């Protein structure tokens, strides 16, 4: 998988991260993640993201400045994503699997790469 260049916009990093999750490209997922986030979210067997069988991205927002900064990042942005998630261990869904999520990304400077530092469902 081709990773974004240093200084790429936060929304490009989030979209690449979601593509890497779906492709089960652990090396790319690790590269795009802050180490504490990777260990917390991808470091255990039945975590919610590893259970995703497919991810269809409908929309990725422009990044919004955010003040919450785990890991001491100087620049923090939140990227809102509307995705459809199909899980590995579920029957075909009868309900709507279109989920709004937000991803928090951080970096130390304009030239540094954004790293995924947190995520959560909005719905």
């Amino acid at each position: 998988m081709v990773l974004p260049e240093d200084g790429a916009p936060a929304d490009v990093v989030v979209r690449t991260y979601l593509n890497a999750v779906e492709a089960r490209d652990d090396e790319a997922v690790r590269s795009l993640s802050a180490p504490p986030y990777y260990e917390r979210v991808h470091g255990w067997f039945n975590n919610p993201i590893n259970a995703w069988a497919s991810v269809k991205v409908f929309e990725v927002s422009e990044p919004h400045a955010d003040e919450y900064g785990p890991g001491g990042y100087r620049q923090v942005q939140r990227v809102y994503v509307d995705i459809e998630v199909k899980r590995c261990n579920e029957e075909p869904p009868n309900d709507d699997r279109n989920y709004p999520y937000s991803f928090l990304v951080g970096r130390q400077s304009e030239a540094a790469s954004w790293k995924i530092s947190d995520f959560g469902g909005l719905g």
Side-chain angles (χ1 to χ4, degrees):
M1 173 167 289
V2 177
L3 297 177
E5 294 182 17
D6 289 347
D11 54 321
V12 171
V13 171
V14 170
R15 187 178 294 276
T16 305
Y17 168 81
L18 289 170
N19 290 339
V21 168
E22 182 175 19
R24 302 289 193 265
D25 185 339
D26 190 60
E27 186 176 318
V29 168
R30 184 184 295 266
S31 176
L32 296 165
S33 300
Y37 170 81
Y38 180 85
E39 292 304 318
R40 187 178 79 246
V41 175
H42 294 282
W44 53 289
F45 180 69
N46 279 328
N47 74 66
I49 290 180
N50 284 349
W52 291 357
S54 68
V55 178
K56 181 179 179 183
V57 178
F58 292 108
E59 183 177 350
V60 177
S61 76
E62 292 291 321
H64 302 276
D66 200 299
E67 293 181 8
Y68 174 69
Y73 289 108
R74 293 183 182 165
Q75 297 177 9
V76 180
Q77 292 184 348
R78 187 169 300 275
V79 178
Y80 296 93
V81 180
D82 190 21
I83 58 177
E84 178 184 85
V85 175
K86 292 185 181 166
R87 291 174 169 50
C88 296
N89 59 354
E90 291 183 358
E91 295 294 320
N94 294 328
D95 58 341
D96 184 11
R97 294 287 184 213
N98 196 24
Y99 293 104
Y101 282 94
S102 73
F103 287 85
L104 196 65
V105 295
R107 67 183 181 183
Q108 293 297 346
S109 69
E110 294 286 330
S113 296
W114 292 104
K115 299 291 183 182
I116 308 289
S117 62
D118 206 356
F119 92 106
L122 303 176

